Amino acid sequence: MNPAPNLVLVGPMGAGKTSIGRRLAERFGLDFVDADHFVEQRTGATIAAIFEHVGESGFRERESGALAELLAGEGRLVATGGGAVLDAGNRRLMRARSFVAYLSADLDSQLRRLGRDRTRPLLQRGDREQVLRDLAEFREPLYREVADLVMETDHLTASEAAVRLGMLLAERWSMSGAAA
Ligand code: S3P
């Protein structure tokens, strides 16, 4: 059993962090927060507009601020954006304040789930398959580094994945405020 006061989902775009997280939070009685949505509310602008006006680095600053604020609390399930693991401080914070589940997805699943998505700035540049491949190559080790648990989501619906992750968490995670 690994005690931690919050639960964090990491993984690439299209892994299902938000849809799985929402269902899982209900099951565990946790307060669900999508970190991107939180940033949008705080900023009063969409992720696309933030990227456009202050660039990716401006977005990352806001993303780190959101994570710090959210993980200072307890009993939250935070679905992070795919790039939240890039920052070493974010990774330290996640490990200190949460149990981290890495939801993995292969390229085919990502492409299928992301469909014609126009909301993610990183996917609006060039060949989306190549972009996702490059991001995965760089980020996969970071997801693994921060994770307490890894679960593949390929071939699972969000409901099926939430049930499976719920079972894994019941064995490995105990919610506690003692792990700060
Ligand atoms: C990003 C993923 C997005 C969002 C932003 C950047 C990334 O979140 O934070 O577009 O760097 O992979 P999702 O993983 O929820 O799509």
Side-chain angles (χ1 to χ4, degrees), residues 54-106:
V54 292
E56 181 170 349
S57 62
F59 168 70
R60 297 293 171 209
E61 277 172 32
R62 286 159 180 76
E63 181 175 53
S64 295
L67 284 175
E69 187 173 337
L70 291 169
L71 295 184
E74 292 178 8
R76 293 200 169 113
L77 193 167
V78 181
T80 61
V85 295
L86 291 171
D87 180 77
N90 289 351
R91 298 200 297 279
R92 265 196 305 277
L93 179 72
M94 290 184 211
R95 292 209 54 80
R97 295 291 303 165
S98 59
F99 185 95
V100 184
Y102 164 28
L103 299 181
S104 75
D106 64 22

Side-chain angles (χ1 to χ4, degrees), residues 13 17 36 47 59-60 63 80-83 120-122 139:
M13 293 179 265
K17 301 179 295 287
D36 281 342
I47 300 295
F59 168 70
R60 297 293 171 209
E63 181 175 53
T80 61
R120 292 168 170 91
L122 298 181
R139 294 174 176 183

Side-chain angles (χ1 to χ4, degrees), residues 42-169:
R42 276 293 147 94
T43 316
T46 62
I47 300 295
I50 298 171
F51 266 71
E52 197 182 322
H53 295 293
V54 292
E56 181 170 349
S57 62
F59 168 70
R60 297 293 171 209
E61 277 172 32
R62 286 159 180 76
E63 181 175 53
S64 295
L67 284 175
E69 187 173 337
L70 291 169
L71 295 184
E74 292 178 8
R76 293 200 169 113
L77 193 167
V78 181
T80 61
V85 295
L86 291 171
D87 180 77
N90 289 351
R91 298 200 297 279
R92 265 196 305 277
L93 179 72
M94 290 184 211
R95 292 209 54 80
R97 295 291 303 165
S98 59
F99 185 95
V100 184
Y102 164 28
L103 299 181
S104 75
D106 64 22
L107 197 57
D108 285 345
S109 305
Q110 282 182 278
L111 288 168
R112 182 168 31 82
R113 292 174 189 157
L114 292 165
R116 295 174 188 279
D117 178 84
R118 291 281 168 263
T119 66
R120 292 168 170 91
L122 298 181
L123 295 183
Q124 312 314 315
R125 315 168 177 165
D127 176 355
R128 114 179 344 210
E129 188 170 335
Q130 191 57 47
V131 169
L132 288 171
R133 208 192 299 278
D134 291 344
L135 289 176
E137 193 179 318
F138 188 76
R139 294 174 176 183
E140 158 82 5
L142 301 177
Y143 294 134
R144 291 198 177 268
E145 178 195 313
V146 78
D148 293 295
L149 177 159
V150 182
M151 194 186 94
E152 274 182 27
T153 64
D154 305 314
H155 315 301
L156 296 176
T157 63
S159 302
E160 289 164 349
V163 169
R164 187 171 297 184
L165 183 55
M167 291 193 293
L168 293 171
L169 287 167

